[in-house]
Amino acid sequence: MPFSRGAAVVLHGMHPLRGYPVTSHLTPLPSAERGGASFVVERADGHITDPQVWVLAEKDVQLMTAHQMCELVRRVSRHG
């Protein structure tokens, strides 16, 4: 599944357990690719603002429902 569409939302926050900066890209999935999930969430360590650095960064990737993604945004907004 290709994830290079470009993020709809970029979040900068803190790692929930370790407390260091992280950057997340939230990208909606087209309905044909969803299979129960609505978003691709990519997370990399560090406060990344440069697109080239983002491309090269090691990322954790998760598929999330809209509800899970909203919870993530709430957590980052509260603690980021």
Side-chain angles (χ1 to χ4, degrees):
M1 184 181 317
F3 297 126
S4 59
R5 293 181 189 92
V9 174
V10 176
L11 295 176
H12 297 280
M14 303 300 280
H15 190 283
L17 300 175
R18 297 182 183 97
Y20 53 77
V22 295
T23 301
S24 297
H25 284 201
L26 313 173
T27 307
L29 286 171
S31 59
E33 294 183 24
R34 288 186 183 184
S38 298
F39 292 87
V40 173
V41 178
E42 299 172 280
R43 184 176 73 189
D45 293 346
H47 184 92
I48 301 172
T49 57
D50 184 301
Q52 189 63 26
V53 172
W54 177 258
V55 168
L56 298 173
E58 183 177 330
K59 302 169 201 66
D60 294 322
V61 179
Q62 292 182 298
L63 297 177
M64 291 188 174
T65 64
H67 177 75
Q68 290 169 319
M69 190 274 309
C70 288
E71 287 300 315
L72 172 65
V73 171
R74 272 194 273 276
R75 272 195 320 270
V76 169
S77 297
R78 215 175 309 134
H79 301 292

